[in-house]
Amino acid sequence: FYNLQLTTAGQTVTLTNRLAIQNVLTIGSTSGSKVTLTGSSYSLYLYKNTTAPIVFNRTHDVGYDITGINSVYLQHTADSVLPGGTYPNIYVTSSGAYTTTMAGDVTVGGTLYIFGNPAVGLTTLDTSSSNYALTVNGSLYLGIPPPPNGKLKANDSTIIVTGDVTIYGGFGGSEIDADTSNWTVGGNWYNFSGTFTADTSTVTFNSGSTGKTIYSGGSSFYNIIFNNASGGWTLQEAMTVTNDFTVTNSDTTGSGVDLNGKAVNVTNDFSINGGEVTAGASTITIGGNWTNSGTFTYDTSTVILTGASVALDTGGNATTKRFYNLQLTTAGQTVTIANRLAIQNVLTIGSTSGS
């Protein structure tokens, strides 16, 4: 179709094949019962460039409902627009280095895929300078293997992904430009040699189950938070955090936040406000303060505090508050203890030169 209008109140349209719209699909009743587009085996293909390829009358489940179809494919040959609304799976694809800009808050009822032809540039989804919220009730894929790759520009938006976040590399790699966004991720974090530019963003992992994994892919986080009393996460690679590392809560019957013997470098504060951190043989280097109001399972780890003025609050002398090895060796450093300091193995203290 060029233009298609589905606007009769109470109407149900069932797809028995693909539905392709060259220009604009208008869907939804302006009053009365909603218009429903269904057909779980079939998808909607939208080709319009520059402006919105779909117009919704009223809000989801009031004026319209398209979540009963399989997917919406945005197949552009220039920059385009994604209207705010509620969708099933979405595929943001293009034939070049084109950007699809959100024009409202977007909810994806399944999986969001962003990819295009990497030989001619990245296909980008931009939450816009209006910082529209993006909620994915499934997983987010930047690129698909083998490449093509994709990019998400997150601005200052709230990004919620209930499933996994996957950033594929290869042929330049996929990207997330996080800016000042706030992320909540309910699944795994897989950065397979893509790029996550953290800027001053915050990523909160809130899975309600254990067994989640984090592949950093060589990219750093700015703020990282773990927060669910039933959640458990395991690092698969070294991690760099350029501001704060915070455990608000985690599972404590297992390993909680399991550093898995990987190196962890934190520019500012390392805080265990609840839950558990299991260190293994990790070397944990911290430029700010140390706070432990939860459980630190020290194993054979080494904690290195490098800040010039450090507040060190272990939470007490219990086994769950101790260090295995602790190093305080920065010249001119002052470390102020706010609780008992217990070392299971070796405390190394003093600069080899300077103050």
Side-chain angles (χ1 to χ4, degrees):
F1 296 92
Y2 186 73
N3 294 317
L4 177 64
Q5 296 184 7
L6 307 173
T7 59
T8 301
Q11 182 179 39
T12 297
V13 179
T14 303
L15 299 184
T16 59
N17 214 313
R18 294 181 176 183
L19 175 59
I21 310 294
Q22 190 65 35
N23 195 44
V24 177
L25 169 64
T26 303
I27 185 167
S29 64
T30 57
S31 62
S33 302
K34 66 187 176 185
V35 174
T36 300
L37 182 63
T38 188
S40 60
S41 298
Y42 301 102
S43 296
L44 171 63
Y45 293 77
L46 301 173
Y47 293 93
K48 182 175 176 59
N49 299 320
T50 309
T51 57
I54 187 167
V55 174
F56 297 121
N57 287 331
R58 296 192 297 164
T59 59
H60 168 70
D61 232 17
V62 175
Y64 75 95
D65 184 354
I66 65 170
T67 59
I69 65 173
N70 186 280
S71 302
V72 173
Y73 286 78
L74 304 174
Q75 299 193 303
H76 303 309
T77 57
D79 292 344
S80 191
V81 172
L82 176 62
T86 300
Y87 297 84
N89 303 314
I90 295 182
Y91 291 76
V92 180
T93 68
S94 71
S95 60
Y98 302 125
T99 296
T100 298
T101 302
M102 288 167 45
D105 296 340
V106 169
T107 298
V108 182
T111 301
L112 172 58
Y113 299 88
I114 306 169
F115 63 89
N117 182 355
V120 291
L122 288 175
T123 294
T124 300
L125 177 64
D126 188 341
T127 63
S128 91
S129 59
S130 296
N131 305 312
Y132 292 117
L134 175 61
T135 300
V136 182
N137 292 313
S139 293
L140 169 63
Y141 289 89
L142 281 299
I144 55 174
N149 298 317
K151 178 178 178 178
L152 174 64
K153 182 170 174 53
N155 300 290
D156 190 30
S157 295
T158 297
I159 312 290
I160 299 172
V161 181
T162 63
D164 301 337
V165 173
T166 303
I167 313 168
Y168 282 108
F171 206 93
S174 296
E175 300 178 16
I176 293 177
D177 185 356
D179 294 310
T180 55
S181 56
N182 285 282
W183 291 66
T184 303
V185 178
N188 303 294
W189 185 277
Y190 298 124
N191 185 351
F192 297 136
S193 300
T195 299
F196 178 73
T197 303
D199 297 309
T200 56
S201 63
T202 297
V203 177
T204 300
F205 291 96
N206 74 335
S207 173
S209 61
T210 59
K212 303 304 179 184
T213 57
I214 299 175
Y215 289 82
S216 300
S219 293
S220 61
F221 295 91
Y222 183 72
N223 291 316
I224 189 168
I225 299 171
F226 300 90
N227 187 17
N228 193 308
S230 300
W233 302 266
T234 301
L235 305 192
Q236 301 299 316
E237 298 170 320
M239 177 180 286
T240 297
V241 179
T242 58
N243 196 43
D244 293 336
F245 183 111
T246 305
V247 180
T248 303
N249 218 332
S250 76
D251 168 70
T252 55
T253 59
S255 299
V257 180
D258 189 350
L259 306 185
N260 196 26
K262 309 302 181 184
V264 176
N265 291 282
V266 180
T267 301
N268 200 26
D269 296 341
F270 191 106
S271 302
I272 310 171
N273 297 327
E276 178 179 5
V277 171
T278 299
S282 294
T283 297
I284 308 165
T285 304
I286 301 163
N289 302 316
W290 173 280
T291 302
N292 181 7
S293 301
T295 296
F296 179 63
T297 302
Y298 53 78
D299 297 313
T300 58
S301 63
T302 297
V303 174
I304 304 171
L305 301 178
T306 63
S309 180
V310 177
L312 174 54
D313 186 353
T314 62
N317 188 40
T319 302
T320 57
K321 311 298 182 181
R322 297 177 188 175
F323 297 98
Y324 187 72
N325 294 317
L326 176 63
Q327 295 183 12
L328 308 172
T329 60
T330 300
Q333 182 178 47
T334 298
V335 179
T336 303
I337 298 173
N339 218 311
R340 294 182 179 184
L341 175 60
I343 312 295
Q344 189 65 32
N345 195 43
V346 176
L347 169 65
T348 304
I349 188 166
S351 65
T352 58
S353 63
S355 302

